[in-house]
Amino acid sequence: MKSIHQGIGMTSQRTRDRLVKRIMEGGVENHRVLDVMRLMPRHIFVDEALSSRAYEDTALPIGYGQTISQPYVVARMSELLLQGGELKRVLEVGTGCGYQAAVLSQLVDQVYSVERIKALVGIAQRHLRELGIRNVRVSHTDGVWGLEERAPFDGILVAAAPEVVPESLKEQLAMGGRLVIPVGPPGRQDLLLITRTEEGFQQQVLDYVSFVPLLGGVG
Ligand code: SAH
């Protein structure tokens, strides 16, 4: 990645340090994750009109009825994925503007990210290019089916909530692989961590979260 300090100007490092302090207070401890959150210029990923709010710990609108995820949730989900050890190949479902993918790009070897809204694919690719990030591939496809041609994955992170866990995502996990996914109806979802083991799939219910719904088909 290019120096992610470039083009900041309007946002001071202090603002981001304050955001990272909040994320730590929320319980995220992984230093690699916290370091990336400290450096990642989130204002690049939102509309200029919202850039003064880019370092608030909230989701913000990105158009097309979608949002950029809350920084705390991005950090928490990244930490959960990484707890299994080093990750080579990771799939993200729901690229949106590309913020979570950019964070993951600094933590794993290769990120594949899929998005069903075509306009957002282009927007995310532009943001990633602007930051000189080269290890993220964004595809325009329905992520309910995972990304068969690139499977298996050491980790899968889902940034939109289905009512039930899609079987195809579980099937595309490598042995020992981890799936972090919000599941449930709009507004009250459980964040699940599903691990593929020799004995089958282990499931842990973690936090309450609120994501946009995982929709079928492409837009
Ligand atoms: N990862 C983003 C969050 C984006 S919000 C971030 O870093 O901020 C979730 C995204 O999931 C939306 O852009 C939405 O269009 C997308 N989405 C919803 N259902 C999908 C599906 N079936 N396949 C791929 N993307 C989907």
Side-chain angles (χ1 to χ4, degrees), residues 1 23 28 33 67 108 113 126 142 153 163-164 204 209:
M1 182 165 75
I23 293 171
V28 174
V33 172
T67 55
V108 310
S113 186
R126 180 161 53 76
D142 178 1
F153 300 101
E163 301 255 343
V164 292
Q204 278 172 268
V209 284

Side-chain angles (χ1 to χ4, degrees), residues 1-9 11-21 23 30-45 54-55 71 74-75 99 102-107 130-131 133:
M1 182 165 75
K2 273 184 209 161
S3 165
I4 48 184
H5 299 279
Q6 277 176 4
I8 296 166
T11 63
S12 68
Q13 190 58 50
R14 254 179 56 214
T15 319
R16 269 184 271 176
D17 289 344
R18 201 153 48 224
L19 172 63
V20 170
K21 190 161 169 271
I23 293 171
N30 185 306
H31 282 281
R32 289 185 64 211
V33 172
L34 293 169
D35 286 348
V36 174
M37 298 301 294
R38 193 172 284 119
L39 292 173
M40 189 57 69
R42 190 170 182 250
H43 64 278
I44 298 280
F45 295 87
Y55 298 97
V74 167
Y99 176 60
V103 168
L104 286 174
S105 78
Q106 304 301 295
L107 297 166
E130 225 171 294
L131 293 171
I133 292 171

Side-chain angles (χ1 to χ4, degrees), residues 81-118:
L81 266 193
L82 288 179
Q83 270 168 11
E86 292 285 297
L87 299 175
K88 291 202 160 64
R89 301 157 70 78
V90 169
L91 173 68
E92 180 196 26
V93 176
T95 319
C97 60
Y99 176 60
Q100 170 81 72
V103 168
L104 286 174
S105 78
Q106 304 301 295
L107 297 166
V108 310
D109 287 357
Q110 178 68 45
V111 181
Y112 297 95
S113 186
V114 297
E115 170 58 54
R116 64 179 289 278
I117 298 175
K118 190 162 190 195

